[in-house]
Amino acid sequence: MAAALLVGMFDEEDEDIHRNIMAERLLRPHNYVLNFPDHILISFYRLPRHLILNLVEELRPALGRPTRRHGALPVLVQVTNALRFFAKGDFQTEVASLSSVSQPCISRNLMEVTKAICNIAPNYIQFPRGEELLRIKEEFLRQSGMPGVIGLIDGSLFPIKAPSGPSEPAYVCRKGYHAINVQAIGDQNMVIRHLLAKWPGSIHDSFIFNTSDINAYLSEGRASGWLLGDSGYPLKPYLMTPVMNEQTEAERRYNVAHKRCRSRQERLYGIWKGRWRCHDKSGGYLQYSPERVVMFVKATAVLHNICRMANLPDPENIPAMVEDEEEGHDGMHDGAQTGRTARNNLIAHYFTR
């Protein structure tokens, strides 16, 4: 029964490959997990052996216990249990069955590991500055033909269960389910450079950006260049949006380059949710409060960046992340005129032949 359960937790395409290996090693202690080859560890925990060990050591000061009294688990066990949960969105009882640990212990350790990963987020999620910013602009220009780009911004809906209380309606997104609206800025390598995860699903992308610290930072002129966002974002000198109702060939070329560049942000979300399927609806809605889901989002953002920085292969069967754009705001907000002027100058200098 246990062997069948463990094998069944693999992705369908891996099942035939790993069935005998996993059944053979199933009853070994959990610490033997690192004896598995990397392709099995990646299938199960999304990280190879060396990245699991690196993460364990980085989190050890927060998770380590001097003794095993009161059922304290080794840091390796705590971390791999959490990785399994993030990777599959499994209910805690199923993770507990796989690791022979009680469900209350899994619940407690899951939150401890999540908090510990969130605490190291500044090490992995950093907005670029200086020479790094210049390299990013050069890479965006080389890849997509769009100059001056310092990042790609978009919002994505992360599904949750319906919360209780008077705030419940605010979490119903425009697609009709309960969600957190997460705003991320990605670079040319689909590494997350800025993250804002706290707003209910009904909140508009433009409001989230306008009230964010990154908007204040860019409005002060502290980074030369601009973000690219869809038409749901306000047009600003440091945030270029598509031209609505394009009239000229230059505007068409600008929109083509803009869309080609911005498609990487859609893929970023697809890779993030495809690798850490606790956030994809195929893994089931997370059965937690919005506050805890926000912590999971931040933790998996860190894990996403760890994978991108290590150049791990993208997961197979990435879910489509092309979402309907919200209502456009081109020229309909404070500061739109300066934004339009900046965009017109960009089009005139780089897209007019």
Side-chain angles (χ1 to χ4, degrees), residues 117-129:
I117 296 176
C118 289
N119 287 338
I120 64 171
N123 298 340
Y124 294 96
I125 303 176
Q126 301 176 354
F127 198 75
R129 292 173 172 80

Side-chain angles (χ1 to χ4, degrees), residues 140 144 149 152 228 257-265:
F140 273 125
S144 306
V149 179
L152 309 174
L228 296 189
H258 191 287
K259 183 176 182 180
R260 181 170 57 242
C261 196
R262 194 161 46 83
S263 67
R264 301 184 73 81
Q265 188 68 3

Side-chain angles (χ1 to χ4, degrees), residues 135-179:
R135 288 195 299 271
I136 287 175
K137 288 194 282 189
E138 291 171 357
E139 280 299 303
F140 273 125
L141 178 61
R142 184 185 64 83
Q143 293 175 1
S144 306
M146 178 69 79
V149 179
I150 60 177
L152 309 174
I153 187 168
D154 201 2
S156 187
L157 299 168
F158 283 60
I160 62 172
K161 73 169 184 177
S164 59
S167 64
E168 178 272 332
Y171 287 91
V172 179
C173 68
R174 64 185 183 277
K175 295 191 174 183
Y177 57 85
H178 295 83

Side-chain angles (χ1 to χ4, degrees), residues 172-189:
V172 179
C173 68
R174 64 185 183 277
K175 295 191 174 183
Y177 57 85
H178 295 83
I180 302 291
N181 192 357
V182 175
Q183 176 185 278
I185 296 174
D187 67 14
Q188 80 285 359
N189 294 321

